[in-house]
Amino acid sequence: MLASVVVDAEGNSLEGTAMVPGEAVTAVVVPVGADPPSGRELIDFCRERLAGFETPKRVIFADSLPETVGGKVLKYKLRQQYR
């Protein structure tokens, strides 16, 4: 399971993707803004809005996401990088 997400909560914009390395759903997030939320805040935010099996169990903060020329996230590269 791998889905791209953009979160804008309380003025904080985030770009990221959620992936399942092994069995645990993991969110890879690129924080944008002066005061980005913590990993725990992101998990709590997702837990309120998503089913339990869709909620990230771990959050990884990254400087950027690998993208194609068209702007799509190269999810296979994330899987390789964060295994």
Side-chain angles (χ1 to χ4, degrees):
M1 176 178 164
L2 192 56
S4 297
V5 293
V6 176
V7 178
D8 185 6
E10 300 178 57
N12 294 314
S13 296
L14 299 172
E15 179 183 343
T17 189
M19 63 182 183
V20 182
E23 292 293 321
V25 177
T26 302
V28 181
V29 179
V30 179
V32 178
D35 188 27
S38 69
R40 171 60 34 206
E41 291 172 328
L42 289 172
I43 290 171
D44 291 343
F45 179 86
C46 292
R47 187 170 286 138
E48 292 174 8
R49 292 161 177 81
L50 301 172
F53 67 92
E54 296 174 317
T55 301
K57 309 303 182 239
R58 183 173 86 151
V59 176
I60 298 170
F61 290 96
D63 294 330
S64 64
L65 298 175
E67 295 181 348
T68 66
V69 175
K72 292 185 177 184
V73 176
L74 293 171
K75 297 169 187 173
Y76 75 93
K77 286 193 177 186
L78 289 175
R79 285 188 194 103
Q80 292 172 350
Q81 187 174 354
Y82 296 110
R83 281 196 184 234

